[in-house]
Amino acid sequence: MTRKNILVFRELPDVQLVRLKAEHEVTVANPRIDAQRAAFDAALPRAQGLIGSSYPIDDALLARAPQLEVVSSVSVGVDNYALPALHARGILLCHTPGVLDETVADTVFALLMATSRRVVELSNLVREGRWTKNIDEDLFGFDVHGKTLGLIGFGRIGQAIARRASLGFGMPVLYHTRRPVDLAAQAPELQGRALFTARDELLARADFVVAMLPLSDSTRDMIDASVFDAMKPGAVFINGGRGATVREDALLAALDSGRLRAAGLDVFATEPLPKDSPLRTHPRVTPLPHIGSATHETRHAMAELATTNLLRALAGERPPAVYDTASA
């Protein structure tokens, strides 16, 4: 088999680099690092395969990669990629669905628990030496078990969250998507436990509203003031999907007015979160640094799948996980 040129634009585990180097010529150059930018720019024109994540592969960059055949993203989301340009040029885009579903669901549920029981706030009370007596009612949290969970977006991760809520915590689960999910085929354990619900009814009934939306033109800024205004007073909002699906100014207004009790956020419109963002220090916000899939096991599984996707594509075979760029 002809050896081709691969450009790795974000670090991979050594075991995956060994797999790539056994079959192809490999350049590792992270364009986010100033010392590696020149190497990235030099390798791009001859690259036939790209592999990495969290860096915009836009129209201008693609124009500098005339030999490109495949992009393998170490992620599920594809909002960093110029999908129309990839489709127009016939460049294959691969991603890593499935392997991170349970891990992200763990993270989202951890946020749900932390916001409701004020885990971070009360842990800091101890760390900072301010725990000098039994806490008063003004520091009490709220129960999670038995409360109603509303999911906006109900793909594999949403269903994994629903299993934790319904089977583990006895929570009624409402979900809203463009069309009902065939639970008998996709999640039989949730039959009779997760109910397809109109959006406004879900917002009015749910004690916790969890957004698990991908980012697209139709979902950008979808969670806006009208959504927060329609939510049950005192509800908690969690975002584990994409930051730019939420109008952060509207979220802050809902928190400041007391309409929402708290918010747990693993994603933001701009990442890393700017130091001057009010979300960073807001007393009702539990922020995380986009760690949904950040476990040793899951990140290695994602890298393994992304590497397999790339090798299969360069060999002229069908990769396990191809994203349909025509659907953009």
Side-chain angles (χ1 to χ4, degrees):
M1 184 179 70
T2 302
R3 293 176 69 86
K4 296 186 176 182
N5 293 303
I6 292 173
L7 175 53
V8 179
F9 63 92
R10 186 158 188 164
E11 293 74 12
L12 288 176
D14 288 344
V15 65
Q16 305 309 327
L17 284 175
V18 168
R19 292 176 64 198
L20 294 175
K21 290 177 179 179
E23 298 187 29
H24 300 287
E25 304 303 320
V26 176
T27 299
V28 179
N30 188 336
R32 306 164 193 78
I33 300 173
D34 289 342
Q36 298 182 28
R37 186 59 193 252
F40 175 86
D41 291 338
L44 192 58
R46 62 178 185 273
Q48 290 148 304
L50 294 178
I51 182 169
S53 65
S54 304
Y55 188 76
I57 307 299
D58 56 18
D59 291 324
L61 187 147
L62 289 172
R64 295 159 53 207
Q67 300 187 54
L68 193 59
E69 300 173 17
V70 56
V71 178
S72 184
S73 185
V74 192
S75 68
V76 175
V78 296
D79 42 287
N80 273 314
Y81 302 95
L83 303 181
L86 291 170
H87 180 66
R89 285 182 48 185
I91 298 170
L92 209 59
L93 176 63
C94 303
H95 63 151
T96 61
V99 295
L100 49 65
D101 297 347
E102 299 297 333
T103 298
V104 175
D106 284 349
T107 303
V108 170
F109 214 83
L111 269 176
L112 190 152
M113 294 287 294
T115 51
S116 196
R117 295 305 305 269
R118 302 170 72 170
V119 170
V120 176
E121 178 184 0
L122 295 178
S123 177
N124 286 337
L125 187 79
V126 179
R127 287 179 178 275
E128 295 165 7
R130 294 182 289 115
W131 182 37
T132 58
K133 60 184 179 64
N134 290 340
I135 65 170
D136 296 324
E137 188 171 344
D138 62 343
L139 289 177
F140 288 178
F142 289 84
D143 286 335
V144 173
H145 65 273
K147 298 294 179 65
T148 297
L149 172 66
L151 285 156
I152 301 178
F154 201 59
R156 289 182 300 267
I157 299 173
Q159 292 165 28
I161 297 167
R163 287 196 300 273
R164 285 157 176 73
S166 177
L167 303 176
F169 285 75
M171 300 174 75
V173 176
L174 313 176
Y175 75 90
H176 178 74
T177 57
R178 285 178 292 183
R179 59 187 66 86
V181 173
D182 182 356
L183 293 178
Q186 295 189 33
E189 70 279 9
L190 292 176
Q191 289 187 94
R193 297 179 180 274
L195 179 66
F196 176 73
T197 310
R199 192 196 74 165
D200 286 351
E201 181 183 354
L202 179 153
L203 296 173
R205 291 174 56 188
D207 299 292
F208 298 91
V209 173
V210 176
M212 293 305 303
L213 295 167
L215 182 61
S216 66
D217 289 342
S218 62
T219 63
R220 187 179 297 275
D221 293 336
M222 176 183 285
I223 309 298
D224 58 11
S226 68
V227 171
F228 297 124
D229 288 345
M231 285 175 62
K232 183 177 181 178
V236 172
F237 175 73
I238 307 291
N239 191 10
R242 285 292 182 266
T245 63
V246 176
R247 283 293 303 265
E248 292 177 346
D249 56 346
L251 172 59
L252 284 163
L255 290 165
D256 289 339
S257 71
R259 179 78 188 185
L260 299 186
R261 178 157 48 86
L265 308 172
D266 187 37
V267 291
F268 302 89
T270 300
E271 296 181 357
L273 188 65
K275 290 184 178 181
D276 63 353
S277 170
L279 293 170
R280 189 175 66 84
T281 56
H282 197 288
R284 294 177 181 239
V285 174
T286 301
L288 294 178
H290 203 151
I291 62 166
S293 64
T295 67
H296 292 287
E297 301 92 335
T298 296
R299 288 291 175 86
H300 279 267
M302 292 168 67
E304 181 178 12
L305 177 54
T307 301
T308 298
N309 282 334
L310 184 60
L311 290 174
R312 293 270 185 90
L314 291 176
E317 303 171 4
R318 180 71 176 178
V322 175
Y323 186 86
D324 181 10
T325 54
S327 65

